[in-house]
């Protein structure tokens, strides 16, 4: 339990601005809220209005050191708690998070601009589900017995790695944090999370909520800039495992730093996920699947966004027309309004980056930009980072819009004639995170599913990451898996061999 008064409301708080203010300027270390040692803070801005809604503690190496030392102290005791009991505590956390689902949804909508109904509420629900799932896996931390010799008992046991340093991005911060924290804790590790600059509030609130149930020091949270706060966490000698979700460039820096200490790293990086549509698909289901696959409700800010769509030529024109019509029907507006389907881009920097891709696409000879939906008319949102979704046609595989991850509401649709040629195009990418195939011909679908270079291939659906299904990419999309029992065993424990000679 906390030994200092709560600066934040104890009961679920549906006033997101009040909660954001209360969370201002704080880290959560060793079971309590503390300010940054330097006293510094940075602005958290609502991207729908441009208004500062909170300050976040600007952590540096000193704060990271304090958090890691507390986590290391706590880990010694946490590892002694029976695995099933650890799981039960994590399960209790899930129940508490469910009670706070609406509060967390409103808070994440405020700081990220993600629409409440279509995105934020969904994320808050899945977070609780992830903790519930891993909470049930305590007794799965099993070892093996090995037939070595008749008079020698040889067994393996699963042991925690120690302190885990977790670095997360801003697009689905609560869920991506849960995928790291839940298995790490159940496996007997303790965790220090470094939140993303743009979205530090909801994850901090989750950390505090879970600290009402977990022993102090098991789950700690710092905020700050990547090089000043993230890098010291990766480099800290007491951090024995690093798990990172973010860009390929930063992932490489993180992996290099971790390799200097020889600690294991899990990396979930970018994607450029192909969606391949055959003419025998269920047309209406596939058009609606394309909207979900592109994550338009999240302004396309997803590593698994279907940002390259290949459609078999006979249905190409009809598909483009129907997709445009469907996206036109989506409402862009105030993220906290129940009528809103599409919220905002996260930050000015990201906004400009996406705009530059759109401008480049429009300037390409032969390209057509189908701009969809409509800008919100509410004057309170005039400074909001809203971008109309764009469907490009007439671009080919050499375009940067087809090759690079845009992380915005932009997709390119190309026509294809031959399954082998489209497979080659789909695989002609540095990335390999996810892919989807839309066909009623299972023979073709399964054949291509086996040959697509991606960590996750779905036929006739394109869901986001789900608890119990291994998730993670190949090629530049990352190293290692998350979300499953195997991921917990492989990435948050090591296998110790114990031999007893009874001869
Ligand atoms: P994005 O472009 O999506 O912000 P980044 O990979 O830059 O992606 O950021 C993802 C996370 O990595 C953020 O929490 C960020 O602060 C952190 N980060 C950035 N640079 C570093 C670094 N050098 N070392 C560790 N973490 C970093």
């Amino acid at each position: 339990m906390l030994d200092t008064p709560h600066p934040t409301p104890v009961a679920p708080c549906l006033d997101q601005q009040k909660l954001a203010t209360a969370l201002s300027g704080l880290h959560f270390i060793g079971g309590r809220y503390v300010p940054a040692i330097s006293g510094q803070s940075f602005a958290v801005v609502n991207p729908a209005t441009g208004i500062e809604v909170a300050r976040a503690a600007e952590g540096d190496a000193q704060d990271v050191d304090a958090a890691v030392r507390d986590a290391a102290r706590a880990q010694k005791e946490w590892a002694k708690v029976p695995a099933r009991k650890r799981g039960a505590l994590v399960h209790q956390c899930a129940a508490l998070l469910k009670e706070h689902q609406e509060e967390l949804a409103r808070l994440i909508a405020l700081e990220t601009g993600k629409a409440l109904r279509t995105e934020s509420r969904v994320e808050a629900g899945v977070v609780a589900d992830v903790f519930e799932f891993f909470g049930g896996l305590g007794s799965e931390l099993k070892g093996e017995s090995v037939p070595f010799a008749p008079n020698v008992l040889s067994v393996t046991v699963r042991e925690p790695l120690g302190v885990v340093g977790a670095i997360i991005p801003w697009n689905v911060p609560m869920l991506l944090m849960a995928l790291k924290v839940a298995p790490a804790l159940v496996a007997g590790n303790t965790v220090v999370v470094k939140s993303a600059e743009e979205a530090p509030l909801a994850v901090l609130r989750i950390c505090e909520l879970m600290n009402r149930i977990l022993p102090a020091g098991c789950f700690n949270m710092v905020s700050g800039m990547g090089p000043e706060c993230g890098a010291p966490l990766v480099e800290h000698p007491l951090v024995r495992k690093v798990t990172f979700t973010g860009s390929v460039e930063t992932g490489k820096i993180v992996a290099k730093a971790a390799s200097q200490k020889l600690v294991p790293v899990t990396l979930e990086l970018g994607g450029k996920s192909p969606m391949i549509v055959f003419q025998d698909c269920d047309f209406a289901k596939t058009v609606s699947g394309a909207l979900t696959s592109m994550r338009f409700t999240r302004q396309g800010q997803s590593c698994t966004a279907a940002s390259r769509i290949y459609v078999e030529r006979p249905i190409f024109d009809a598909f483009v027309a129907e997709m445009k019509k469907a996206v036109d029907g989506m409402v862009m507006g105030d993220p906290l309004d129940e009528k809103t389907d599409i919220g905002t881009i996260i930050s000015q920097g990201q906004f400009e980056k996406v705009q530059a891709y759109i401008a480049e696409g429009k300037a390409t000879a032969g390209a057509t930009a189908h701009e969809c939906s409509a800008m919100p008319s509410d004057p309170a949102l005039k400074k909001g980072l809203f971008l109309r979704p764009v469907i490009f046609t007439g671009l080919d595989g050499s375009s940067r819009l087809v090759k690079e991850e845009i992380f915005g509401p932009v997709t390119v649709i190309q026509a294809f004639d031959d399954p082998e040629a489209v497979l080659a195009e789909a695989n002609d990418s540095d990335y390999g995170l996810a892919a989807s195939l839309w066909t009623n011909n299972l023979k073709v679908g399964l054949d291509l599913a086996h040959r697509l270079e991606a960590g996750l291939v779905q036929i006739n659906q394109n869901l986001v990451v789900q608890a119990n299904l291994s998730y993670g990419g190949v090629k530049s999309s990352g190293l290692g898996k998350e979300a499953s029992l195997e991921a917990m065993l492989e990435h948050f424990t090591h296998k110790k061999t114990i031999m007893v000679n009874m001869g």
Side-chain angles (χ1 to χ4, degrees):
M1 294 299 285
L2 298 182
D3 57 1
T4 52
H6 273 285
T8 49
V10 173
C13 172
L14 298 185
D15 180 342
Q16 62 280 353
Q17 182 53 65
K18 182 176 166 204
L19 188 53
T21 304
L23 287 161
S24 276
L26 298 169
H27 289 151
F28 205 95
I29 299 177
R32 42 207 284 257
Y33 279 117
V34 287
I37 294 170
S38 69
Q40 299 294 308
S41 65
F42 59 95
V44 183
V45 174
N46 175 354
T49 59
I51 293 171
E52 178 176 315
V53 291
R55 307 286 302 172
E58 187 162 349
D60 59 25
Q62 304 177 79
D63 306 272
V64 168
D65 185 56
V68 173
R69 284 183 190 286
D70 266 330
R73 266 193 295 278
Q75 202 267 328
K76 303 240 173 320
E77 296 308 310
W78 181 239
K80 289 183 203 157
V81 175
R84 207 163 152 188
K85 167 83 177 157
R86 290 196 301 259
L89 292 172
V90 168
H91 210 274
Q92 276 181 42
C93 292
L96 185 59
L97 295 178
K98 271 188 200 164
E99 285 171 31
H100 286 257
Q101 179 180 352
E102 189 61 19
E103 161 197 289
L104 292 168
R106 298 187 75 84
L107 188 58
I108 199 84
L110 181 75
E111 63 182 329
T112 64
K114 288 197 299 181
L116 181 64
R117 177 176 51 80
T118 55
E119 284 289 336
S120 298
R121 204 173 272 141
V122 179
E123 183 186 357
V126 179
V127 167
D129 183 54
V130 167
F131 281 104
E132 191 171 89
F133 167 72
F134 280 105
L137 296 184
S139 43
E140 292 301 320
L141 291 150
K142 295 172 194 161
E144 300 139 339
S145 72
V146 184
F148 177 73
N151 61 340
V152 179
L153 173 70
S154 300
V155 293
T156 62
V157 291
R158 292 278 179 183
E159 291 193 345
L161 299 171
V163 178
V164 172
I167 297 177
I168 54 171
W170 45 259
N171 64 329
V172 236
M174 301 191 293
L175 171 59
L176 298 176
M177 179 194 74
L179 293 177
K180 300 175 185 325
V181 172
L185 287 174
V186 173
N189 307 280
T190 54
V191 191
V192 177
V193 174
K194 203 295 270 173
S195 56
E197 292 84 329
E198 297 83 353
L201 301 177
V203 288
L204 178 63
R205 175 65 160 170
I206 291 180
C207 180
E208 178 243 307
L209 292 173
M210 290 181 57
N211 267 272
R212 296 182 194 174
I213 291 163
L214 300 170
C218 288
F219 180 9
N220 309 276
M221 173 85 53
V222 292
S223 47
M225 305 300 130
E228 289 76 20
C229 187
L233 179 60
V234 177
E235 289 159 14
H236 198 291
L238 291 176
V239 169
R240 303 311 304 157
K241 157 84 196 185
V242 175
T243 168
F244 171 86
T245 301
S247 63
V248 177
E249 298 71 38
T250 309
K252 286 180 184 167
I253 296 171
V254 165
K256 196 167 170 192
S259 75
Q260 295 305 304
K261 300 194 305 185
L262 290 177
V263 301
V265 193
T266 308
L267 300 174
E268 297 295 343
L269 307 176
K272 190 75 193 171
S273 302
M275 167 171 184
I276 302 176
V277 179
F278 288 89
Q279 59 176 319
D280 72 343
C281 69
D282 178 333
F283 190 80
K285 180 179 166 186
T286 307
V287 170
S288 131
L291 265 55
T292 320
S293 297
M294 235 329 277
R295 322 287 185 233
F296 278 125
T297 49
R298 204 192 297 161
Q299 283 274 7
Q301 299 170 115
S302 162
C303 331
T304 51
S307 50
R308 310 185 268 155
I309 305 183
Y310 301 93
V311 180
E312 208 168 4
R313 197 170 306 274
I315 59 165
F316 178 81
D317 291 338
F319 190 87
V320 173
E322 277 306 300
M323 190 169 161
K324 159 121 181 68
K325 202 164 110 194
V327 188
D328 279 340
M330 297 175 85
V331 176
M332 186 156 55
D334 178 359
L336 287 152
D337 187 332
E338 295 288 344
K339 290 194 289 299
T340 297
D341 296 307
I342 306 177
T344 69
I345 299 275
I346 185 80
S347 64
Q348 188 63 33
Q350 189 62 22
F351 189 72
E352 286 166 14
K353 189 181 146 202
V354 180
Q355 276 183 318
Y357 277 108
I358 296 173
E360 184 171 324
K362 284 181 175 171
T364 306
T368 307
H370 307 264
E371 288 180 291
C372 309
S373 185
M375 292 296 279
S377 53
D378 182 350
L381 305 176
K382 69 177 186 303
K383 290 197 177 142
L385 302 175
F386 296 94
L387 257 184
R388 290 179 69 197
V390 189
I391 299 168
F392 274 101
T393 51
L395 289 172
D396 66 25
S398 65
S399 164
R400 282 204 318 140
L401 281 75
V402 177
K403 292 235 165 298
E404 297 177 13
E405 182 175 47
I406 298 175
F407 232 67
V410 182
T411 191
V412 178
I413 312 190
Q414 294 168 264
F416 76 89
D417 299 295
D418 170 36
E420 287 306 317
V422 81
L423 177 71
E425 287 227 35
N427 284 341
D428 182 20
S429 171
D430 293 339
Y431 293 109
L433 187 58
S436 68
L437 294 157
W438 301 76
T439 175
N440 280 316
N441 185 337
L442 263 189
K443 189 163 177 286
V444 171
L446 274 177
D447 174 45
L448 293 190
H450 283 291
R451 293 193 288 145
L452 274 165
E453 294 167 3
L456 172 65
V457 181
Q458 301 182 60
I459 300 179
N460 296 332
Q461 63 170 27
N462 195 357
L463 306 177
V464 295
V465 53
Q466 303 288 318
N468 203 18
L469 290 164
S470 278
Y471 173 76
V474 296
K475 302 200 273 187
S476 289
S477 291
L479 286 177
K481 302 288 169 193
E482 292 193 312
S484 60
L485 168 62
E486 311 82 80
M488 175 175 82
L489 297 176
E490 280 167 32
H491 300 304
F492 292 108
T493 72
H494 76 95
K495 206 187 245 192
K496 179 186 271 180
T497 299
I498 299 177
M499 302 175 86
V500 186
N501 188 319
M502 300 174 294

